[in-house]
Amino acid sequence: MLTDQQLQELKKQLHVMKEEAEKEHHNHDGYVNEEEDQGNSVGELSNVNSHPGDLGTEKFEREKAYTLSEHAEEQLEEINAALERIEKGTYGYSEHSGKPIPYERLQAMPTARYLVEEQEESS
């Protein structure tokens, strides 16, 4: 069972993680939203005059930005779910067995929903 001090430390850590994930999502979100405007993204008026290497690089960068944005979005969902569990009083307990999750695991992974052995079983 977590002490109030431990819970506050983990909550603070989750808020820091949330800020970082929001920044990461915001940093890549604008690039991903430009996806419809592929011709102008490499500085050309049409795709005809673009070098195929430029278009390939641009496509790679878009896909990378999309992946990073999606990852940040998933992190935000996990962080928000952990913060909700704190508010509900269910944080720190396995969603599978209901057993307490060790504080050390929560320090390493504040969004943990399961005990290590339960996580390994579901993977």
Side-chain angles (χ1 to χ4, degrees), residues 45-71:
L45 296 176
S46 76
N47 287 339
V48 177
N49 293 330
S50 295
H51 187 277
D54 291 341
L55 294 175
T57 299
E58 185 67 19
K59 182 176 176 163
F60 170 77
E61 290 299 325
R62 284 174 195 264
E63 290 174 0
K64 182 175 78 172
Y66 177 78
T67 300
L68 292 171
S69 181
E70 285 292 309
H71 178 69

Side-chain angles (χ1 to χ4, degrees), residues 28-117:
H28 298 291
D29 194 40
Y31 197 32
V32 171
N33 288 336
E34 294 173 5
E35 193 165 314
E36 300 85 35
D37 193 20
Q38 291 181 1
N40 292 331
S41 62
V42 291
E44 299 290 337
L45 296 176
S46 76
N47 287 339
V48 177
N49 293 330
S50 295
H51 187 277
D54 291 341
L55 294 175
T57 299
E58 185 67 19
K59 182 176 176 163
F60 170 77
E61 290 299 325
R62 284 174 195 264
E63 290 174 0
K64 182 175 78 172
Y66 177 78
T67 300
L68 292 171
S69 181
E70 285 292 309
H71 178 69
E73 194 172 313
E74 289 170 6
Q75 281 183 314
L76 280 170
E77 289 174 10
E78 286 296 316
I79 293 165
N80 287 330
L83 291 169
E84 282 182 33
R85 290 193 304 276
I86 289 174
E87 296 303 315
K88 290 179 181 177
T90 59
Y91 181 79
Y93 294 94
S94 168
E95 291 182 1
H96 179 72
S97 65
K99 295 178 183 176
I101 299 171
Y103 177 63
E104 294 77 18
R105 173 159 169 75
L106 292 170
Q107 281 182 305
M109 188 174 171
T111 58
R113 296 174 180 252
Y114 308 103
L115 298 169
V116 172
E117 52 274 8

